[in-house]
Amino acid sequence: MDLAVVLDLITLGVLTVGGFALATVGLGLQAGVKTSAEEGARIAIDNVNWPNKLGQELQKVRGTERQELRFGAYAALWAKQRPLAIYDAGIFNEKAAKKLSGELSDWYFSDTGGLLLSKQVRDFYFALQDLLRAVGAIPRWRAVRPQEDAAQIFLRVLKREQLDNARKTIVCLKRLDEPGVDPEEWAKQAATLAKEWRADIRKLHGRWGELSSNEHFAVLQQVASILRTSMVNDVESRSR
């Protein structure tokens, strides 16, 4: 074969291989540039969004810390209600009502007290305080712990006095406390229920002299019990 032809074939082969190599390198560079661009865009977006992400993480931490403080505050409020326990033997009358109201106020104005009450619980607390303050100003009565279930006595009082919102509140609280209920339902409904509850419990103040000694205790004990139920639901709904 002519030497010139051989050289031409060799030159053509080199050019072909070189062109393929350049094309491959070019595709690699394009892919690298694309990957780098995507990574750069992701980093840029992260840099823009990091204050929001940081804020979200801080909110989680603060929420956890606030819930721990609230748990301690609720525990202290729970303990102060011991005088209204069904199985306690202490006397409860107007003097005891005044004393308990004062102790609850001391708790409320402490640094780990009322500041930590959620809006879902606040009016349940004030319903008890309204009742204690009002009956504490009524002379010469004494609450006697009944042999019968206090809850049933209380429901009869509410029915007799036609305090339908209070009865509805008790039914709703029991339903919200059932297993499987979305905890968000508690947060949505509790604040409204608490306001209705407080308004109805206020109506019992003026009829205190017409209630029996067993009814006196049932009303006081159950208003305190509903407050404690709301505290438990509030803590559990935020921890799930």
Side-chain angles (χ1 to χ4, degrees):
M1 182 180 296
D2 189 355
L3 180 59
V5 173
V6 172
L7 290 174
D8 288 341
L9 290 173
I10 292 172
T11 301
L12 180 61
V14 170
L15 291 174
T16 301
V17 172
F20 178 76
L22 288 173
T24 302
V25 171
L27 290 174
L29 288 173
Q30 289 179 7
V33 169
K34 181 180 179 182
T35 300
S36 297
E38 291 175 348
E39 181 67 15
R42 185 189 65 78
I43 292 173
I45 292 172
D46 286 346
N47 288 339
V48 171
N49 290 334
W50 80 264
N52 291 333
K53 291 183 177 180
L54 179 60
Q56 291 171 1
E57 291 303 315
L58 286 174
Q59 279 296 104
K60 290 179 182 178
V61 172
R62 288 170 181 166
T64 300
E65 292 176 346
R66 183 166 55 246
Q67 191 62 359
E68 289 176 354
L69 289 172
R70 179 173 287 133
F71 187 84
Y74 284 3
L77 178 58
W78 186 296
K80 289 187 179 298
Q81 297 172 56
R82 169 67 187 270
L84 290 174
I86 292 175
Y87 300 107
D88 194 274
I91 295 173
F92 203 91
N93 53 20
E94 70 273 15
K95 293 180 180 178
K98 287 180 181 178
K99 181 181 178 182
L100 180 55
S101 178
E103 290 177 352
L104 295 184
S105 291
D106 289 341
W107 170 86
Y108 184 86
F109 288 103
S110 69
D111 55 357
T112 56
L115 183 65
L116 293 167
L117 277 175
S118 72
K119 64 181 180 180
Q120 286 81 11
V121 176
R122 190 174 297 120
D123 279 307
F124 288 115
Y125 165 82
F126 283 119
L128 177 59
Q129 274 287 49
D130 290 345
L131 180 62
L132 290 170
R133 183 175 62 178
V135 302
I138 300 173
R140 295 182 296 279
W141 61 268
R142 178 176 176 178
V144 175
R145 290 169 174 80
Q147 297 298 316
E148 186 185 352
D149 182 17
Q152 293 302 317
I153 296 175
F154 183 54
L155 286 173
R156 287 202 298 269
V157 171
L158 296 179
K159 184 177 181 180
R160 188 177 69 222
E161 302 299 325
Q162 298 182 338
L163 301 178
D164 296 329
N165 280 335
R167 293 165 65 197
K168 181 187 75 173
T169 297
I170 293 173
V171 172
C172 289
L173 289 178
K174 288 182 178 179
R175 181 178 60 79
L176 290 171
D177 200 32
E178 292 175 354
V181 174
D182 184 351
E184 292 298 323
E185 287 300 309
W186 163 255
K188 290 178 183 177
Q189 297 186 41
T192 299
L193 291 173
K195 291 184 182 301
E196 294 176 349
W197 174 260
R198 184 182 181 187
D200 261 11
I201 297 305
R202 278 178 174 172
K203 296 175 184 177
L204 288 173
H205 303 170
R207 308 292 294 272
W208 196 249
E210 301 174 20
L211 302 182
S212 70
S213 57
N214 284 351
E215 288 173 338
H216 284 157
F217 181 80
V219 169
L220 288 160
Q221 190 275 329
Q222 285 294 296
V223 173
S225 178
I226 290 296
L227 168 59
R228 293 193 297 273
T229 297
S230 71
M231 288 155 55
V232 171
N233 286 345
D234 190 39
V235 170
E236 290 187 348
S237 68
R238 297 168 192 275
S239 64
R240 279 182 265 179

